[in-house]
Amino acid sequence: MRLIGYGFRRHATYWAAAAAGAFTNTVFGILRAYVLIALWQARPGLGGYGVVEAVTFCFLTQAYIGPMQVFGGGLDLPQRIRTGDVALDLVRPASLQLWSLSEDLGRAAYLFVARSVPPALVGALLFGIVLPPGPATWAAFMVSFVLGVVVSFGWRYLVALATCWVIDDRGLSVLSMILTTFFSGLMLPLVIFPGWLGTLARALPWSAMVQVPADVYLGKTPVAGALAFQAFWAAVLLGAGALATAAARRKVVIQGG
Amino acid sequence: MVRTYLLLVWAWTRAAAQYPVSFALMTVGGFVASGLDVAVIWVIFTNTTSLGGFDLGEVMFLYGTACLSFAMADLLFGNVDRISQHIRAGTFDTMLIRPVSPFVQIATERFVPHRIGKVIQAAAVLVFALARLDVSDGRAWMIPVMIASGTVIFTALWALGGAAQFLLTDAPEVANAFTYGGATLMQYPLSVYGGELVRGVTYVLPLAFVNWQPGLYVLDREDPFGLPYWLRFLSPAAAAAMALVAALAWRTGIRHYRSTGS
Amino acid sequence: MIEVDRLGRTFKVRGTVTHAVQDLSFGVEAGEFVGYLGPNGAGKSTTIKMLTGILAPTSGRLRVAGLDPSRRRTALARKIGVVFGQRTTLWWDLPLKDSFELIRLLYKVDRGAFRRRLDELCALLDIGDFLATPVRQLSLGQRMRGDITAALLHDPPILVLDEPTIGLDVVSKAGVRDFLRRLNAENGTTILLTTHDLGDVERLCRRVMLIDHGRLAFDGTVADLRAIVPGEASIEEAVTHLYLSSRRSPRTPPPRPAQDPPSVTA
């Protein structure tokens, strides 16, 4: 808990960057909203969403970009692996993975305030967005949101640790960004993806970051099933992360890099 | 200045070519990453046959021309958005003590030819669109004109964003909202946006001249917003005006540059 | 070579105005070797940045090699070499020789002259062994010699060095000093050097300028500097004396122009 607070305060010092990020998210939110409005005017009720719901979806996804780090990054780990400082982290008594997760949750909490709320407010003012029907949905959404951040962390942590084995990590981060932006629902709601592509996209872990929390917010999906889906992917990714950490410790600490 | 630019680009390309695997991966990465936008358009058109009154071929044409201009500007001058990194790291000081315009130096610094991946992707989309459309020979001349003008407009936008970073060293992302945001805006027919926004990008920040106005001429379409017909031929003038404003802003930015640290 | 007349530079930081340099006047003749001293934050780096065209002055007149640095930056760049001790002007992950090649392109030095000049500098600074090594793998001493070479490839008549010996070991320091002395003596290059190392000043500079609180506090020969403290004072004692006395009275009037006999106004 203290670590979460530390992560929050550490990122709070970069308020100018967060404000700029919020501005950018808002601008892109507006542009995407227009495109979705045009689509939903051509096809009312598409994917079970109304126009206002589609616009809401659009601003929700923009609001997730900061906390979920949809474009990747957010962790110091690759930098520390490149400089070799990771050896110090791996021999600490605390688990590197839990340590990073706490800090990441703190970062996400701060960015939720700084980067998620402003685009949502602007969206509400310019286009009007829908609110969850009641406190139960709000609560479910907050749980789903946190689970989304954990899934996002699980994935980014794996990508970051891969820097231990891959020589050029830039290619990997580009690949991760492509997968995440496309299959999370950031660019378009996954509900309008056609046929098998839609089925596949909705089953993959990235949908737990954007599409599922948005559907919980909009009340478009049974809450229990959605949270279970997110928890499943969180567990799988964190488990894989733990295995990868053990392997990294063997490689870095025992073999000496 | 052009010669120096080319020499520097060539020197950095040779440096990048020493890591061929990385180079190839990044080129493919750029190709695929920008291909995502096409995937989005494709998904949209699996759900509808027309967006904002334009069909798939026309949307792809507008997308292809906007992206080709943007990708060219990005390839040639996109590095300019790293200026705040250079300012913070103090390397901008180094550029100022050299006998070459800092704009050319930043644009070529670590020039990465893999951005060519985006150019190829955009060109492929444009070819696909032109194959679906039936553009009359009498109107096709506008296509190279609009791509050249668009490249200048986006380059000017990069330069303006770069100049703004002299003031906003802590928040270079604000400039991104205009450069990448501008590119994203132009990927769709402007008819999907609100009238205010469209007038803004016609008369204030003339992005509409990248592909929309000349595109209406090539596609031989009515202007959905009823703006004057002659605007379609003004792309080169808009590009020249943007370039002039950007050059002035850049010079002002450098005059107000405050070197940091010791 | 360098004419500075009532030069001033102010910075505004959140409403408060600081005078980094104020009312600074001095001249440097061709072939001089001048040490430019001052405590941290005195305005040394700001002066150097104005002389090299990186910063525009807020007041006063400035000419370097007959040019106004901030307005004729690119023309001036061909006439001066600049070395920053705290940061490199080389490209971090390129081999040294590739950095030199880029500099050749930037300065449009023709291939023949470049090769001759590089061979000469290689021999004098002993950098031949690590020309193929990426800059990030060089030791500080090697990197500094690389930086000095890079600053001289276009054969400038003026060389400005900002703390070139900072962090160097005894042997590297001696090598750099020896080279600078020869460059000044044999080539006639005008050299302006800022440093905290008074050994540099003692062994190299005929003339010393000392800046404090943005103003010139001393301008004269090393012997004059020693003479301001009675008895057989070391240069350290003299400089300490000046730093402390100017701290007591920060509003010292500017000294007479540099061409006049040395003066102390602290």
Side-chain angles (χ1 to χ4, degrees):
Chain A
M1 221 43 213
R2 284 238 304 281
L3 274 173
I4 297 180
Y6 163 73
F8 187 98
R9 282 197 305 278
R10 205 182 124 207
H11 287 274
T13 54
Y14 303 114
W15 65 271
F23 177 72
T24 311
N25 294 157
T26 309
V27 169
F28 276 83
I30 293 169
L31 297 183
R32 287 195 198 286
Y34 274 120
V35 173
L36 292 185
I37 290 171
L39 177 58
W40 258 267
Q41 272 168 356
R43 288 283 312 277
L46 182 64
Y49 291 179
V51 173
V52 184
E53 284 169 333
V55 169
T56 307
F57 183 92
C58 165
F59 281 99
L60 283 175
T61 58
Q62 291 297 319
Y64 295 155
I65 289 175
M68 314 250 182
Q69 288 286 303
V70 180
F71 297 122
L75 299 172
D76 299 334
L77 208 51
Q79 178 67 25
R80 292 185 70 82
I81 292 172
R82 248 175 273 129
T83 56
D85 290 349
V86 73
L88 303 174
D89 302 337
L90 283 167
V91 295
R92 262 190 226 153
S95 146
L96 173 63
Q97 194 183 14
L98 283 179
W99 175 282
S100 310
L101 175 61
S102 320
E103 215 198 301
D104 201 55
L105 286 174
R107 182 195 55 74
Y110 170 65
L111 290 181
F112 177 77
V113 177
R115 280 187 61 175
S116 302
V117 176
L121 284 179
V122 173
L125 284 175
L126 284 179
F127 299 91
I129 63 175
V130 291
L131 291 176
T137 318
W138 270 115
F141 167 65
M142 287 322 291
V143 175
S144 177
F145 185 85
V146 173
L147 278 171
V149 174
V150 177
V151 172
S152 149
F153 166 80
W155 170 252
R156 282 178 291 122
Y157 182 80
L158 278 176
V159 173
L161 261 196
T163 314
C164 282
W165 291 277
V166 182
I167 301 153
D168 188 8
D169 57 311
R170 283 181 308 175
L172 202 66
S173 48
V174 170
L175 180 71
S176 161
M177 189 197 76
I178 291 170
L179 289 169
T180 312
T181 46
F182 194 66
F183 286 112
S184 65
L186 176 72
M187 305 188 86
L188 280 179
L190 300 180
V191 289
I192 68 165
F193 278 31
W196 62 267
L197 185 65
T199 315
L200 177 70
R202 286 188 290 274
L204 291 173
W206 296 287
S207 71
M209 299 179 199
V210 173
Q211 180 72 40
V212 174
D215 274 343
V216 170
Y217 178 99
L218 292 169
K220 295 286 175 193
T221 177
V223 170
L227 297 185
F229 174 79
Q230 288 182 296
F232 166 75
W233 276 118
V236 170
L237 291 172
L238 289 179
L243 291 177
T245 312
R249 179 177 290 123
R250 269 198 304 282
K251 182 173 158 58
V252 173
V253 179
I254 299 173
Q255 297 171 5
Chain B
M1 201 146 121
V2 176
R3 189 169 155 266
T4 313
Y5 177 90
L6 292 175
L7 284 171
L8 288 171
V9 162
W10 178 235
W12 282 110
T13 306
R14 272 180 311 166
Q18 289 175 7
Y19 305 94
V21 177
S22 173
F23 172 71
L25 278 175
M26 295 298 281
T27 309
V28 173
F31 186 90
V32 176
S34 47
L36 275 187
D37 298 328
V38 185
V40 169
I41 294 176
W42 172 72
V43 170
I44 288 176
F45 276 91
T46 58
N47 290 291
T48 180
T49 52
S50 129
L51 189 72
F54 289 76
D55 69 20
L56 179 61
E58 292 169 319
V59 170
M60 286 294 191
F61 172 76
L62 291 169
Y63 171 88
T65 46
C67 282
L68 190 53
S69 299
F70 181 77
M72 300 273 284
D74 188 34
L75 173 71
L76 298 174
F77 299 102
N79 271 349
V80 171
D81 78 341
R82 293 201 204 145
I83 183 167
S84 59
Q85 290 171 30
H86 285 297
I87 292 175
R88 272 176 304 199
T91 39
F92 192 69
D93 283 1
T94 313
M95 297 186 179
L96 288 175
I97 60 166
R98 302 243 155 92
V100 173
S101 140
F103 189 74
V104 169
Q105 289 186 63
I106 287 200
T108 53
E109 176 85 5
R110 284 167 212 291
F111 177 85
V112 272
H114 68 245
R115 285 182 179 158
I116 196 92
K118 275 194 208 170
V119 177
I120 298 169
Q121 183 263 346
V125 172
L126 184 58
V127 168
F128 166 83
L130 289 173
R132 282 179 74 105
L133 295 169
D134 194 19
V135 177
S136 76
D137 291 343
R139 290 175 184 270
W141 62 269
M142 182 61 100
I143 297 172
V145 173
M146 64 196 273
I147 287 165
S149 306
T151 307
V152 174
I153 291 174
F154 277 125
T155 301
L157 202 57
W158 286 116
L160 279 173
Q165 290 184 29
F166 284 108
L167 304 173
L168 301 165
T169 36
D170 287 340
E173 294 88 347
V174 172
N176 288 353
F178 291 96
T179 48
Y180 290 101
T184 306
L185 177 81
M186 301 317 297
Q187 287 176 2
Y188 290 91
L190 286 189
S191 49
V192 308
Y193 303 108
E196 310 277 306
L197 188 59
V198 173
R199 278 186 192 83
V201 296
T202 307
Y203 297 120
V204 184
L205 190 69
L207 291 173
F209 296 97
V210 169
N211 63 341
W212 173 247
Q213 284 293 345
L216 289 175
Y217 172 78
V218 174
L219 299 172
D220 195 13
R221 295 280 303 247
E222 292 264 312
D223 189 327
F225 298 95
L227 299 183
Y229 187 80
W230 46 263
L231 285 177
R232 298 172 182 204
F233 303 99
L234 283 192
S235 289
M242 273 287 275
L244 187 69
V245 171
L248 287 174
W250 179 261
R251 291 180 73 100
T252 314
I254 287 194
R255 285 285 304 167
H256 288 87
Y257 169 62
R258 305 166 45 154
S259 167
T260 51
S262 57
Chain C
M1 270 307 197
I2 303 176
E3 297 162 54
V4 177
D5 188 22
R6 300 179 155 264
L7 190 68
R9 171 75 210 201
T10 54
F11 290 104
K12 278 199 201 80
V13 182
R14 294 193 187 90
T16 41
V17 177
T18 48
H19 299 273
V21 168
Q22 47 185 329
D23 213 9
L24 185 68
S25 301
F26 63 84
V28 175
E29 299 296 320
E32 278 198 272
F33 198 138
V34 183
Y36 191 45
L37 308 182
N40 296 320
K44 287 197 306 291
S45 289
T46 306
T47 315
I48 297 292
K49 283 173 181 170
M50 287 192 282
L51 290 176
T52 49
I54 293 171
L55 274 176
T58 34
S59 62
R61 184 174 172 279
L62 180 59
R63 289 289 178 274
V64 177
L67 300 165
D68 179 348
S70 67
R71 292 188 183 279
R72 302 285 314 279
R73 220 181 39 241
T74 49
L76 179 68
R78 296 176 184 289
K79 300 193 171 177
I80 59 172
V82 186
V83 175
F84 295 112
Q86 314 244 33
R87 60 174 77 128
T88 181
T89 58
L90 303 167
W91 285 267
W92 205 238
D93 39 29
L94 294 185
L96 198 52
K97 64 175 186 320
D98 289 13
S99 275
F100 292 158
E101 174 67 13
L102 278 168
I103 286 168
R104 184 184 81 76
L105 295 174
L106 284 169
Y107 285 86
K108 300 195 178 82
V109 181
D110 74 62
R111 232 174 259 277
F114 171 75
R115 182 112 344 122
R116 276 197 303 280
R117 187 87 185 135
L118 185 57
D119 287 347
E120 201 179 302
L121 290 163
C122 274
L124 283 172
L125 282 162
D126 195 18
I127 58 172
D129 293 343
F130 46 87
L131 277 177
T133 313
V135 172
R136 70 182 128 79
Q137 290 169 10
L138 297 179
S139 75
L140 192 59
Q142 292 173 329
R143 205 210 74 199
M144 183 44 60
R145 283 180 280 157
D147 260 310
I148 293 176
T149 306
L152 293 171
L153 283 171
H154 60 293
D155 200 9
I158 307 177
L159 179 63
V160 176
L161 304 111
D162 194 4
E163 304 191 23
T165 55
I166 196 163
L168 298 191
D169 63 50
V170 185
V171 180
S172 306
K173 210 179 261 187
V176 167
R177 283 174 183 165
D178 188 44
F179 171 78
L180 292 177
R181 188 178 16 227
R182 287 184 64 177
L183 184 75
N184 176 251
E186 293 168 19
N187 230 24
T189 307
T190 311
I191 300 181
L192 181 69
L193 165 92
T194 83
T195 185
H196 285 299
D197 186 331
L198 297 174
D200 291 346
V201 177
E202 211 154 21
R203 284 176 186 74
L204 295 172
C205 306
R206 283 184 289 278
R207 177 174 161 204
V208 181
M209 293 190 293
L210 195 143
I211 186 176
D212 203 3
H213 296 97
R215 293 166 182 274
L216 204 56
F218 174 85
D219 186 352
T221 64
V222 174
D224 296 327
L225 182 61
R226 281 215 190 83
I228 62 168
V229 183
E232 288 290 296
S234 69
I235 186 166
E236 275 87 356
E237 287 168 324
V239 169
T240 311
H241 173 80
L242 277 174
Y243 283 6
L244 291 175
S245 57
S246 72
R247 202 139 303 167
R248 281 195 297 273
S249 56
R251 294 275 171 258
T252 46
R256 280 168 282 162
Q259 285 79 8
D260 286 6
S263 60
V264 179
T265 50

